[in-house]
């Protein structure tokens, strides 16, 4: 079983809108619907779990009814207080539904609506082969490290740096067991599934992303997203 988990618990404060950014429309379609559809249209994805803030569970269900027509299962569940809690909630839901030792979960930011089949397929293959992978692109800007926020502490070699995107994909059973045995305080300090694997010294494979697989965060990103749709999707 291969499950896409679309994580949509963000509040969108940096966007400055009355609703979370994942529910904003781009070219008349909500961002979250574009993200869900990208996975549902992939023949290698069996079902989709959408995790949202409790106040938006019903609203998300209505959006799905309005915009999506598919024979595949879509489950809308309540997210947790943190991204880690949300991730573990997805895994527990999968466990209840019959997670097997070869189940794959692709975890994806709802506000990255431009995921494509090539990235999805390579994530699935890498998760099956290596147990964990992260989508990324090479850093093109010089990255500065500042320990005090005022002065440069270090300038890392750019050739070794990458910008992380999503999906991040895993053998779901292995990720579930790693989280279960991790000390709670340590787990709270981690931000995603790849951090869990790294915590235990497990290797995480890198899947090549796309520059247009952007994360909708600021108002200008809506304009950029519209341009991406017109260039790549029309």
């Amino acid at each position: 079983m291969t499950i896409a988990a679309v994580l949509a618990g963000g509040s969108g404060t940096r966007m400055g809108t009355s609703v979370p950014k994942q529910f904003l429309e781009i070219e008349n379609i909500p961002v979250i619907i574009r993200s869900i559809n990208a996975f549902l249209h992939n023949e290698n994805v069996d079902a989709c779990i959408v995790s949202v803030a409790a106040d938006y569970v019903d609203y998300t269900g209505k959006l799905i009814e309005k915009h999506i027509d598919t024979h595949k299962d879509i489950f809308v569940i309540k997210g947790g207080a943190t991204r880690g809690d949300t991730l573990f909630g997805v895994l527990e839901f999968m466990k209840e539904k019959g997670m097997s030792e070869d189940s794959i979960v692709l975890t994806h930011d709802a506000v990255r609506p431009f995921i494509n089949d090539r990235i999805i397929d390579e994530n699935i293959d890498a998760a099956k082969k290596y147990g964990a992978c992260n989508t990324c692109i090479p850093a093109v800007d010089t990255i500065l490290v500042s320990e005090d926020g005022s002065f440069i502490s270090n300038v890392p070699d750019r050739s070794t740096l990458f910008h992380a995107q999503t999906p991040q994909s895993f053998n779901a059973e292995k990720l579930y067991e790693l989280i279960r045995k991790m000390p709670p305080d340590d787990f709270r300090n981690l931000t995603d599934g790849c951090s869990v694997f790294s915590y235990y010294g497990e290797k995480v494979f890198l899947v090549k992303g796309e520059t247009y697989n952007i994360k909708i965060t600021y108002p200008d990103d809506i304009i950029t997203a519209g341009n991406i749709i017109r260039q790549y999707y029309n």
Side-chain angles (χ1 to χ4, degrees), residues 60-88:
T60 302
K62 291 176 182 178
L63 283 181
I64 290 171
E65 289 179 4
K66 178 180 178 181
H67 291 280
I68 296 178
D69 181 17
T70 179
H71 66 280
K72 296 181 180 181
D73 289 328
I74 308 174
F75 306 97
V76 182
I77 66 173
K78 182 178 70 172
T82 66
R83 189 178 180 88
D85 291 337
T86 296
L87 173 61
F88 192 62

Side-chain angles (χ1 to χ4, degrees), residues 10 23 29 34 48 62-64 79 116 123 175 180 185 197 208 215 218:
F23 299 110
I29 299 177
R34 290 185 178 276
C48 185
K62 291 176 182 178
L63 283 181
I64 290 171
N116 62 33
N123 264 260
L175 178 58
R180 284 189 64 198
D185 287 344
F197 271 72
K208 178 180 177 293
K215 185 177 182 180
Y218 298 104

Side-chain angles (χ1 to χ4, degrees), residues 59-192:
Y59 180 71
T60 302
K62 291 176 182 178
L63 283 181
I64 290 171
E65 289 179 4
K66 178 180 178 181
H67 291 280
I68 296 178
D69 181 17
T70 179
H71 66 280
K72 296 181 180 181
D73 289 328
I74 308 174
F75 306 97
V76 182
I77 66 173
K78 182 178 70 172
T82 66
R83 189 178 180 88
D85 291 337
T86 296
L87 173 61
F88 192 62
V90 166
L91 295 170
E92 287 193 309
F93 185 83
M94 289 180 64
K95 196 73 173 175
E96 292 172 4
K97 292 294 182 180
M99 178 194 297
S100 64
E101 63 181 13
D102 60 352
S103 291
I104 299 297
V105 59
L106 298 91
T107 63
H108 187 65
D109 297 327
V111 289
R112 289 189 189 273
F114 302 123
I115 188 70
N116 62 33
D117 278 335
R118 193 270 304 166
I119 293 176
I120 293 172
D121 290 341
E122 290 186 10
N123 264 260
I124 294 171
D125 290 343
K128 289 179 178 178
K129 184 174 182 179
Y130 301 105
C133 66
N134 197 153
T135 306
C136 62
I137 57 174
V140 294
D141 298 315
T142 297
I143 306 297
L144 306 178
V145 177
S146 175
E147 295 180 0
D148 61 6
S150 298
F151 297 94
I152 294 175
S153 304
N154 185 27
V155 183
D157 180 0
R158 186 175 64 192
S159 67
T160 67
L161 302 177
F162 295 80
H163 294 290
Q165 299 181 340
T166 61
Q168 295 182 348
S169 302
F170 310 94
N171 176 293
E173 182 74 29
K174 185 170 184 177
L175 178 58
Y176 180 72
E177 293 302 329
L178 290 178
I179 293 175
R180 284 189 64 198
K181 72 178 183 179
M182 182 178 290
D185 287 344
D186 289 352
F187 181 56
R188 278 191 288 270
N189 290 327
L190 301 181
T191 58
D192 54 36

